[in-house]
Structures are given as structure tokens and as C-alpha cells.
Amino acid sequence: MSAETKFDDDYPAYTMGRAAEILGTTPGFLRSLDEAKLITPPQRSAGGHRRYSRYQLRIAARAREIVDQGTPLDAACRIIILEDQLEEALRINEQLRRDHT
């Protein structure tokens, strides 16, 4: 594994068990995020095991934070999707503003 790959946010570096341990949650919680389509389907190892990237872990951590505050999982997923859409729209607006000044 190259140093570049090692620090790539999209590189599937973590097994489901390790990802759950890092997040302080269960593999079932991660599976529920897959089923809710909050995170793109994780990569699979040669043996067929799910592997998660740092980016996916950040999204899962945000979902866990919202769920831990008492929000149902489906609503937490929707909140995160809307937050991402808003962030992207703001980024595009800022870029357009810079391009037209």
C-alpha cells in the first residue's frame, strides 16, 4: 500500500468490526446505514467482507451522533443528506460568485 493510498479518504481501509469499534457502535448499526443508503455500499475484500473508508466513517459518526440525540435513524439519514446538499449548493454559489466578480 502506497503512502498516498494510506491517506486517501476513499480508500476502504477498515473492516466492519474495526469500523464499529472506532465509532463505538455495532456492526448492525453500520449495516443499517448501508440499508438506508446513507453511505455508498462499502468495498468488499477478496473474502467478501465489507471495508469502510475514512469518509464513510465520518458520515457514520455523524449519523450516530444524531441518533444518540434521540432522532430516529431514517430521520438522521435524511438530515445528513440535506446537510450535504446544502453544503454543495453553498460551495457552488461561492464558486459562481467568484467567477462573476
Side-chain angles (χ1 to χ4, degrees):
M1 174 182 334
S2 71
E4 184 177 306
T5 302
K6 192 176 187 182
F7 296 108
D8 179 359
D9 269 0
D10 294 320
Y11 181 75
Y14 303 98
T15 63
M16 178 180 277
R18 180 68 179 128
E21 182 181 316
I22 289 168
L23 296 171
T25 190
T26 65
F29 179 77
L30 290 172
R31 278 191 293 277
S32 68
L33 297 179
D34 295 349
E35 292 165 9
K37 297 184 180 13
L38 179 62
I39 54 180
T40 56
Q43 296 284 328
R44 299 277 182 160
S45 68
H49 301 284
R50 290 178 168 102
R51 298 194 57 90
Y52 293 86
S53 68
R54 285 189 190 126
Y55 175 74
Q56 290 170 320
L57 291 186
R58 280 197 303 274
I59 292 172
R62 178 72 177 124
R64 180 169 185 252
E65 177 184 315
I66 295 170
V67 168
D68 285 352
Q69 293 172 358
T71 304
L73 181 64
D74 60 333
C77 292
R78 186 70 183 139
I79 288 167
I80 293 166
I81 289 166
L82 290 170
E83 286 174 342
D84 284 349
Q85 289 173 344
L86 175 60
E87 184 178 320
E88 178 68 7
L90 292 171
R91 187 193 63 72
I92 290 168
N93 284 341
E94 181 59 32
Q95 183 64 46
L96 290 170
R97 196 173 295 124
R98 278 195 302 261
D99 291 348
H100 288 87
T101 55

